[in-house]
Structure formats: C-alpha cells, structure tokens
Amino acid sequence: MNALFAAWNQRMAALARSCGSRRQRLGMLLALSISLLPLSPARSQPAPPEGATRSAGVAPEAASVKMTVQNLGGGVYFVQGESAMGSAANQNFISNAAFVVADGGVLVVDALGSPPLAQRLLQEIRRITPLPLRYAVVTHYHADHIYGLQVFRAAGARVVAHVAAREYIGSDVARQRLAASREELFPWVDEHTEVVEPDLWLGADGQEEMTLKIGRSEFLLRHVGPSHTREDLVVYMPQTGLLFAGDLVFRDRIPFVGQADSGRWIAALDRLIALQPRTVLPGHGPVSQDPAPDLRLTRDYLDHLRRSMGEAARNLEPFEEAYAHTDWSRFEALPLFRAVNRMNAYNTYLLMENEAR
C-alpha cells in the first residue's frame, strides 16, 4: 500500500505539469483515486475489569495481527486499528470499532476492514455477553470500516447508515474498490466479501437525527456530512457524554482527506467541539479522554491545508511550488505524513481551485 501512495505522489507531479485546465485535473484525479484506492458464538466469560485490556483469542492463522479489547467502563468496549495503510499483512486492520453492551442487547459501531477481523470482534463480544446483537452502525462507507458488516448482519444485527451512502453502495467506485481489495487484501478480503446495504437508513424521512434505544440506553445518531464523506454520521451517548466520531477525528496520525468537503468537515468539527463530549472514540487512533485538543488538531490540519493550498490556487501558483514552500512542521512528525500528506494537499488544491471559480 505504501508503494501505491508513492506511485500517487509520482503520478501527481506529472499530472500537475501535463494537465492545464481545472476540468482536466479534476477528471484525472478521479481516475487516479479509483486506480490507487487501498485496496458459533463462544461461551460467555467475565468481561475484563474496567480500564483493562485483553488480546483476542482466535485461531493462530487469523491472529497474526494483534487485536486488543479495551474496556472503557459502562459497557463500552473499543478496539484500535494500526496507524498504517491497509494491506494483506495487517488484514486491513487500520480503523477502529467499538461496541456497547446495554441491558437489552449490543450495539456495534463500525465493522472493521475485513470479515475475519469482524469475526474476531464478534468472538470478543461473545466472550463478554450472550446478549443479542441489535444494531451495527456504520459511520461512513469507507472500505476499512465496512468489509466486516456481513459478519454482524449474519449474527442478527440490523445495519444502520445514512441515506447518502446509497450513492456509493451502487457505484462503479464501490465495485472497483472491492475488486482491487480482493486482490490486494487476499485472503482476508475475497470473492465472498460484500458491500452490505443497510437495513435502516438515517435521513430517509428527511430527519438528520435518530435515536436508537436498547433497554435503558439511548444512542443519538446525527448526520454530520458532507464532510469526510457525504454520509458521515456520529453516535452520541448523552447519558455518558461519549461520542463515537468516526473519521471526523483522526488521532495521533495524519487524516485521509480524499474527496472530502474539508470546509464542511471543519464546520462539523466546530459543532462537535461545542458539544463538549467527555470522551471521543475516533475512527483512527487511540481513545481521547481530553477531546477538545484532539478535535482541534484534526480541524487545524484541515484549516492549514485550505489556507495554504487556497492561497496558491488563487495566485495561480503551480502545486509543486506551493507544496514545496508550505510550512508542514506542525504535522510532519505525525504517522502517515509522508504517505498521505501530498495527496491530501493536492486534493485540497483542486478543491480550492473549484471553490474559487
């Protein structure tokens, strides 16, 4: 996967030199985006003590990537993916997932990047509780968050997502990305892996919020896109102040911007900062017990991209020159800076060109 992003960086430089018009560059960027996309319940056992961790116990051939369950208290559990690009070596375990054991069942947030990873997470759930799976909520339809969905649906969960995901689910991009992932992530993603369509759509009735109830627990789902994606949603537990933020928040690593509407992403982060959550579970990186600085770091990175690349676009400065003299010192020590920052900057350069039209 790192080789793919190295190829992106090389081809992007050539693209900046060879394509004169904005329309040409946007079309070529879309083509490059598609071609280079990364591609029986166990017996219930006592849960680990609050604040403790436990490594998932699975068959040796599936355990080459470490998965550790963190007990956050109040029935909330969390697993953290690696700060890396998806690959067969890490089974596409590059994103986070969580589950909540309520008094009437289990709610899962995000499904990880391959069916075997989801199966391992399901085994962990079954070690903690025999209660049924009620819902699997998808914060957005990126591959590293959705390829495990079929496991949770088969276990009885209703899949929930925002209605804007329909456009991706039925698209050529989704089919091409899955085909590429079946090659790059084999055998963890294979011909049996599917893009699962939700059973319950947030926004289908025109409402941008929905409350799911399991026993005495309430989960507020709120649409916050378009930002990182059009279908972004967050899950908030008002009784505890805990926020499942999905990929609106990248902690301790550089965000993947892709085709995001970064202006609206910043606005969504401002709303989350105003919410003042006590704990944030990001889509990537460790749990945040001091959310405000972590929310601001993602926000500040996006703002820096927009300011620097926006000025270059307005001044008709070539991208390579603008990138070379931009000060990246605040962010360059973060994981994946070298892998994705140039791509993020170029996507933002094109976005700012388009906004200036």
Side-chain angles (χ1 to χ4, degrees), residues 176-233:
Q176 291 168 3
R177 184 164 194 169
L178 180 56
S181 295
R182 286 168 172 166
E183 294 291 329
E184 296 171 7
L185 303 175
F186 184 84
W188 316 107
V189 174
D190 61 17
E191 68 275 13
H192 302 294
T193 306
E194 303 171 353
V195 176
V196 173
E197 186 168 338
D199 304 293
L200 184 61
W201 296 100
L202 171 61
D205 59 357
Q207 300 299 312
E208 296 298 89
E209 292 187 357
M210 169 193 296
T211 299
L212 301 177
K213 295 184 179 181
I214 303 177
R216 290 168 292 180
S217 297
E218 292 189 355
F219 305 88
L220 175 63
L221 278 58
R222 179 178 297 166
H223 181 224
V224 290
S227 46
H228 179 67
T229 67
R230 295 183 69 245
E231 68 273 10
D232 283 312
L233 64 81

Side-chain angles (χ1 to χ4, degrees), residues 287-304:
V287 174
S288 175
Q289 303 290 359
D290 185 17
D294 293 317
L295 290 166
R296 290 194 186 97
L297 180 61
T298 299
R299 186 200 186 285
D300 290 352
Y301 175 72
L302 297 172
D303 184 65
H304 187 63

Side-chain angles (χ1 to χ4, degrees), residues 124-339:
E124 283 300 295
I125 294 172
R126 288 297 174 234
R127 286 187 172 91
I128 292 168
T129 179
L131 289 172
L133 270 65
R134 298 297 189 192
Y135 300 103
V137 179
V138 186
T139 59
H140 64 294
Y141 262 74
H142 277 176
D144 53 324
H145 296 261
I146 64 167
Y147 283 165
L149 274 175
Q150 61 200 63
V151 171
F152 296 112
R153 170 176 279 171
R158 297 182 71 194
V159 177
V160 187
H162 188 265
V163 69
R166 281 178 173 159
E167 181 177 342
Y168 174 80
I169 292 169
S171 69
D172 288 339
V173 171
R175 287 187 288 271
Q176 291 168 3
R177 184 164 194 169
L178 180 56
S181 295
R182 286 168 172 166
E183 294 291 329
E184 296 171 7
L185 303 175
F186 184 84
W188 316 107
V189 174
D190 61 17
E191 68 275 13
H192 302 294
T193 306
E194 303 171 353
V195 176
V196 173
E197 186 168 338
D199 304 293
L200 184 61
W201 296 100
L202 171 61
D205 59 357
Q207 300 299 312
E208 296 298 89
E209 292 187 357
M210 169 193 296
T211 299
L212 301 177
K213 295 184 179 181
I214 303 177
R216 290 168 292 180
S217 297
E218 292 189 355
F219 305 88
L220 175 63
L221 278 58
R222 179 178 297 166
H223 181 224
V224 290
S227 46
H228 179 67
T229 67
R230 295 183 69 245
E231 68 273 10
D232 283 312
L233 64 81
V234 296
V235 182
Y236 183 60
M237 297 182 67
Q239 61 271 34
T240 63
L242 190 145
L243 178 71
F244 304 85
D247 278 10
L248 259 70
V249 180
F250 286 68
R251 188 167 182 233
D252 292 351
R253 58 155 285 186
I254 289 292
F256 172 70
V257 174
Q259 302 301 304
D261 185 332
S262 55
R264 293 188 179 182
W265 188 348
I266 289 171
L269 285 167
D270 286 338
R271 292 194 296 273
L272 296 186
I273 291 169
L275 186 63
Q276 296 184 327
R278 297 175 191 165
T279 305
V280 167
L281 277 59
H284 299 264
V287 174
S288 175
Q289 303 290 359
D290 185 17
D294 293 317
L295 290 166
R296 290 194 186 97
L297 180 61
T298 299
R299 186 200 186 285
D300 290 352
Y301 175 72
L302 297 172
D303 184 65
H304 187 63
L305 286 175
R306 289 180 62 84
R307 288 176 181 273
S308 57
M309 295 300 106
E311 181 180 2
R314 288 190 298 273
N315 294 335
L316 303 179
E317 182 179 10
F319 168 74
E320 288 296 330
E321 294 179 13
Y323 187 85
H325 70 61
T326 297
D327 180 6
W328 302 109
S329 57
R330 182 180 175 189
F331 309 103
E332 61 188 359
L334 291 172
L336 298 183
F337 176 86
R338 293 188 181 278

